[in-house]
Amino acid sequence: TTRFIQAFGRFATKAVYQLDMPQFKTLALAGEISVDLALEKGYVILTLEDDVVLGLGFYIHNTIRSQLPRSEIRETMLEC
C-alpha cells in the first residue's frame, strides 16, 4: 500500500496531512504525533513540506500513528 499511495497519493483531495520537518522527525522517532484535525478516525495520507508523499498514517483520538515502513523513514530522512 505504501508504494500505491506514493504513486497516486498526490491526486488525493481528502484525508491528506502535510508534515513539517519537526513533526516528521517526531513521527519517525516516537511513532506518533499529536494533531487536531477535522477528520474522523481513519487513514490519512502523509506528505512532507515539499509535497513528497510519504505514505499512510492512522488518525485516531487527535493522534497520527505512523504506518510508514521503517526503511521508508530512514531513506527519506537521509535525503533531507
Side-chain angles (χ1 to χ4, degrees), residues 10-24:
R10 66 179 183 259
F11 300 112
T13 58
K14 296 180 182 177
V16 178
Y17 185 74
Q18 187 173 36
L19 299 164
D20 59 25
M21 190 54 67
Q23 287 175 315
F24 174 68

Side-chain angles (χ1 to χ4, degrees), residues 28-61:
L29 295 172
E32 63 183 35
I33 57 170
S34 294
V35 292
D36 187 17
L37 304 176
L39 295 176
E40 294 196 22
K41 175 179 78 170
Y43 287 98
V44 61
I45 297 172
L46 301 175
T47 64
L48 201 50
E49 292 171 332
D50 51 0
D51 293 325
V52 172
V53 177
L54 299 171
L56 292 174
F58 191 77
Y59 181 68
I60 188 169
H61 305 298

Side-chain angles (χ1 to χ4, degrees), residues 55-67:
L56 292 174
F58 191 77
Y59 181 68
I60 188 169
H61 305 298
N62 295 334
T63 301
I64 294 177
R65 295 181 183 157
S66 176
Q67 301 295 304

